[in-house]
């Protein structure tokens, strides 16, 4: 039975939450494998809207077990408040499982995130300020604190001491900030231990056993391909691997177990934070996409930068993730344009380039080469079948599919669960 990875094919906010929720009723486990509460995944069920940050979107589907894998960075305060927020709304959160190997975001990580951004000045990344980068840095530096450390006070104290020894020097001497007391951090962290204990287990063993028993496991990515620390627009990226390989390391399953990799692809492009974005619009078309598409960050409330669809990026996402399918979202937002530009290549210092340049400077110089596709004016939000779409909308989807290198298996025509055209089944 299948293991599926569902991930962002662009710079995040493609509609991963909606797509995961749509599949939630047919899968046994939904697993977050990287990132943390920098993510903001919106799920609309009937007249209810949920914004999930750390919890897998499968938590909203009764019968589905939500799992936070070892590759995720967990802010325990955020996790507990997200859980209680959902419980107040009548969502059963008792099935949640958390890897004991996941790293913890502590107050000093959020502090470091904010001060380093301030220090970078104009060169800042525009992070979400949630402590993501500093937590992954500590993990790689081997001075991180893991969920399992919450249950051993002596080890926890030693580890916080080791981490703060170094950080307090940096905070005081480089950033002119007050040192953070070890006891204060330990006490705060220990305060979360009892509430979290019941959720913690060996999620790697659990997921491999589940796959052995033919259960269906969905790995839900945070962020997107171009925000990947290895394959994205470095240094304007997040500090984890949202790409498909990240599902293996971030959940402890081998690549041979993954059957399908679904790229969530917006029918246009958005980006939050700094960094290159060749098709970005600074005119009224960009404003129109932002307004009609509701392009405002779920996590930080920042306006999203908006631009036309970029086929070079979509093709790159197919390549680095081995995509088997696309879920094309927000096609309804494009209703009302007479013609719609689609970026088919870049012009870089006089050369036409059709693959994403691996050289950072080249990418910063990339100018989009557009092909104009005819638009449509009919409301498509009620479309249930591909044939319900106006001819020009059908042609737009087919053109994107051709350029992007994988079949479009579903199309989003609105935020709701049922506002979806399913072309090929994912299961
Ligand atoms: P995620 O981070 O990838 O889960 O995406 P976000 O939730 O941050 O942003 C996607 C936004 O688009 C949310 O407000 C969704 O409710 C909304 N959305 C998702 N799919 C569609 C769609 O097909 N059409 C429209 N109009 N909105 C959609
Ligand atoms: P979802 O899962 C869009 C961006 C930030 C910043 C960069 C690094 O909702 O698609 P970080 O706080 O991760 O160190 O910030 O990454 N970013 C996102 N952009 N969607 C997200 O998540 C994002 N998570 C981080 O804006 O540019
Ligand atoms: Mg989002």
């Amino acid at each position: 039975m299948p293991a599926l990875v569902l991930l962002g094919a662009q710079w995040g906010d493609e509609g991963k939450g909606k797509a995961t929720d749509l599949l939630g009723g047919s899968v046994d486990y939904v697993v977050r494998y990287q990132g943390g509460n920098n993510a903001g995944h919106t799920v609309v069920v009937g007249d209810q809207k949920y914004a999930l940050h750390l919890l897998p979107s499968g938590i909203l589907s009764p019968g589905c077990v939500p799992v936070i894998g070892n590759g995720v960075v967990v802010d325990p305060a955020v996790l507990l408040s997200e859980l209680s927020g959902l419980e107040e709304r009548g969502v059963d959160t008792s099935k949640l499982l958390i890897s004991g190997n996941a790293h913890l975001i502590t107050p000093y990580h959020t502090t470091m995130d904010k001060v380093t951004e301030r220090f970078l000045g104009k060169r800042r990344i525009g992070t979400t300020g949630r402590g993501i980068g500093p937590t992954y840095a500590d993990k790689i530096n081997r001075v991180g604190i893991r969920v399992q450390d919450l249950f051993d006070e002596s080890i926890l104290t030693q580890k916080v001491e080791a981490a703060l020894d170094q950080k307090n020097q940096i905070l005081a001497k480089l950033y002119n900030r007050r040192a953070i007391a070890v006891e204060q951090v330990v006490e705060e962290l220990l305060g979360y231990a009892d509430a979290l204990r019941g959720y913690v287990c060996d999620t790697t063993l659990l997921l491999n056993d589940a796959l052995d028993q033919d259960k269906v496991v969905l790995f839900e990515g945070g962020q997107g391909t171009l925000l990947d620390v290895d394959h994205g627009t470095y240094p304007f990226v997040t500090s984890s691997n949202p790409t498909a390989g990240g599902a293996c390391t971030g959940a402890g399953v081998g690549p041979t177990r993954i059957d399908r990799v679904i790229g969530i692809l917006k029918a246009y492009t958005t980006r939050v934070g700094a960094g290159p974005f060749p098709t970005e619009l600074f005119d009224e078309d960009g404003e129109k996409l932002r307004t009609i598409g509701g392009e405002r960050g779920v996590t930080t409330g920042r306006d999203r930068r908006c631009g036309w669809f970029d086929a070079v990026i979509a093709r790159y996402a197919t390549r680095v993730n081995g995509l088997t399918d696309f879920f094309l979202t927000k096609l309804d937002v494009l209703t009302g344009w007479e013609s719609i530009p689609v970026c088919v290549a870049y012009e870089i210092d006089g050369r036409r380039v059709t693959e994403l340049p691996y050289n950072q400077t080249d990418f910063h110089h990339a100018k989009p080469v557009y092909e104009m596709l005819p638009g449509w004016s009919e409301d498509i939000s009620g479309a249930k079948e591909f044939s319900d779409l106006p001819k020009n909308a059908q042609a737009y989807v087919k053109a994107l599919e051709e350029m992007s290198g994988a079949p479009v298996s579903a199309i989003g025509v609105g935020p709701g669960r049922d506002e979806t055209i399913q072309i090929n089944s994912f299961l």
Side-chain angles (χ1 to χ4, degrees):
M1 281 299 275
L4 304 98
V5 181
L6 189 158
L7 52 81
Q10 294 149 320
W11 276 288
D13 302 325
E14 300 89 350
K16 297 176 291 293
K18 173 191 156 160
T20 302
D21 173 65
L22 190 68
L23 286 167
S26 332
V27 307
D28 298 299
Y29 296 83
V30 173
V31 187
R32 277 284 306 271
Y33 56 87
Q34 49 65 239
N37 58 307
N38 48 348
H41 295 181
T42 315
V43 177
V44 178
V45 186
D47 61 356
Q48 293 288 309
K49 187 170 172 174
Y50 300 89
L52 301 167
H53 298 284
L54 196 46
L55 294 169
S57 302
I59 200 151
L60 299 172
S61 303
C64 173
V65 178
V67 180
I68 294 181
N70 56 278
V72 175
V73 287
V74 177
D75 184 325
V78 171
L79 176 64
L80 291 173
S81 103
E82 209 170 319
L83 284 169
S84 61
L86 287 180
E87 277 154 21
E88 275 164 28
R89 294 176 72 179
V91 176
D92 174 19
T93 61
S94 61
K95 293 202 196 78
L96 176 70
L97 296 171
I98 306 170
S99 167
N101 286 348
H103 279 246
L104 288 173
I105 302 179
T106 74
Y108 54 81
H109 292 114
T110 28
T111 301
M112 290 299 284
D113 194 359
K114 286 173 187 153
V115 292
T116 46
E117 277 283 276
R118 208 167 304 146
F119 207 70
L120 279 170
K122 340 196 261 313
R123 291 188 296 265
R124 69 181 169 273
I125 309 297
T127 72
T128 59
R130 302 300 194 262
I132 306 297
T135 306
Y136 279 113
D138 276 4
K139 172 178 174 173
I140 302 301
N141 250 339
R142 294 162 294 190
V143 290
I145 315 288
R146 297 190 293 176
V147 169
Q148 58 179 287
D149 299 328
L150 291 175
F151 312 116
D152 187 325
E153 184 171 351
S154 151
I155 288 198
L156 180 69
T157 308
Q158 286 173 39
K159 291 191 174 178
V160 172
E161 255 165 19
L164 278 179
D165 258 1
Q166 199 189 35
K167 255 169 223 79
N168 276 335
Q169 302 271 349
I170 299 172
L171 280 172
K173 293 184 182 154
L174 188 61
Y175 298 121
N176 201 22
R177 302 275 299 217
R178 234 178 300 141
I180 297 171
V182 172
E183 308 72 52
Q184 198 185 321
V185 174
V186 169
E187 194 185 310
E188 178 179 333
L189 292 177
L190 285 175
Y192 302 122
D194 284 342
L196 292 180
R197 198 185 304 271
Y199 297 118
V200 179
C201 75
D202 182 349
T203 51
T204 294
L205 180 62
L206 172 106
L207 291 171
N208 280 281
D209 281 351
L211 288 167
D212 288 342
Q213 290 159 26
D214 282 350
K215 303 282 189 206
V216 185
V217 180
L218 175 68
F219 298 92
E220 176 188 11
Q223 293 76 53
T225 300
L226 275 297
L227 286 172
D228 186 283
V229 69
D230 284 278
H231 302 292
T233 48
Y234 191 91
F236 301 101
V237 292
T238 192
S239 300
S240 67
N241 290 116
T243 47
C248 296
T249 47
V253 299
T256 48
R257 309 216 72 154
I258 309 288
D259 302 278
R260 220 144 165 187
V261 186
I262 305 162
I264 314 302
L265 186 68
K266 213 179 268 192
Y268 50 98
T269 314
T270 62
R271 169 162 210 175
V272 197
F277 178 0
T279 63
E280 182 169 14
L281 293 166
F282 300 95
D283 58 7
E284 63 268 26
D285 279 331
E287 199 48 53
K288 199 168 149 191
L289 285 173
R290 189 172 305 117
T291 309
I292 301 176
E295 298 297 353
R296 181 175 281 267
V298 183
T299 299
T300 56
R302 289 178 288 179
D303 274 353
R304 294 174 180 154
R305 300 157 65 192
C306 296
W308 300 121
F309 183 83
D310 186 335
V312 181
I313 279 174
R315 228 173 8 252
Y316 178 71
T318 305
R319 163 157 52 103
V320 296
N321 294 299
L323 296 181
T324 56
D325 306 80
F326 278 116
F327 189 139
L328 187 69
T329 61
K330 304 190 96 160
L331 187 65
D332 53 305
V333 175
L334 292 180
T335 298
W337 266 276
E338 205 165 303
S339 58
I340 308 169
V342 167
C343 170
V344 294
Y346 301 138
E347 196 203 295
I348 302 172
D349 303 328
R351 289 170 294 128
R352 186 185 160 104
V353 171
T354 53
E355 293 295 341
L356 197 93
Y358 73 90
N359 180 290
Q360 187 189 348
T361 309
D362 280 353
F363 194 54
H364 281 257
H365 291 182
K367 302 251 179 324
V369 175
Y370 286 119
E371 193 176 305
M372 300 303 285
L373 300 179
W376 60 93
S377 56
E378 300 88 333
D379 177 6
I380 61 169
S381 56
K384 297 282 171 242
E385 306 281 336
F386 188 67
S387 56
D388 296 339
L389 292 174
K391 286 281 167 284
N392 286 352
Q394 291 186 18
Y396 185 82
V397 174
K398 284 287 156 206
L400 264 46
E401 180 174 81
E402 186 101 333
M403 294 170 191
S404 305
V408 171
S409 294
I411 303 168
V413 290
R417 246 181 211 175
D418 51 355
E419 290 171 305
T420 306
I421 298 170
Q422 194 75 45
I423 299 169
N424 307 310
S425 164
F426 289 125
L427 291 164

